[in-house]
Amino acid sequence: MAGPAAPAGPHIAWLPRLNAINTPKRRYQHMPTIRVELFEGRTVDQKRAFAQAVTEAVVKTLGGSADGVDVVFYDIAKQNWATGGKLWSDPPAAKPAG
């Protein structure tokens, strides 16, 4: 059997205000997070330009504001990615002669 419920009172009235203070306003917007997986080696300038271009495309296509668009980059080493059962870090197969 559960004990009596705690009485509602002023001690919980601060919770909504605390959440509003600690949560950035932009998180309330319903915009996407774009996950970008790519081989490591791109420069910061390339990522910056890509993030700007993707953000502009999202805002143009879906509406909203740029402040609501998140772009997250995942740099992946070639030995951690395989296609068709072969690691990208493996040397290319020799082409048959002829």
Side-chain angles (χ1 to χ4, degrees):
M1 178 184 266
H11 61 283
I12 63 167
W14 55 271
L15 285 175
R17 279 186 302 154
L18 180 64
N19 286 337
I21 292 169
N22 291 332
T23 304
K25 183 177 180 182
R26 68 188 202 92
R27 292 287 172 217
Y28 291 121
Q29 297 176 3
H30 299 288
M31 291 298 288
T33 298
I34 309 298
R35 178 184 173 119
V36 181
E37 297 175 357
L38 62 161
F39 290 138
E40 60 190 359
R42 284 7 185 260
T43 67
V44 172
D45 286 337
Q46 287 174 314
K47 291 177 184 178
R48 185 178 293 114
F50 183 86
Q52 183 64 39
V54 167
T55 299
E56 289 172 6
V58 167
V59 170
K60 180 180 177 183
T61 305
L62 301 178
S65 72
D67 290 343
V69 179
D70 291 318
V71 179
V72 181
F73 292 97
Y74 292 88
D75 290 333
I76 300 174
K78 288 186 177 184
Q79 71 265 15
N80 294 330
W81 194 316
T83 300
K86 298 184 183 201
L87 293 175
W88 279 89
S89 59
D90 291 343
K95 294 185 179 182

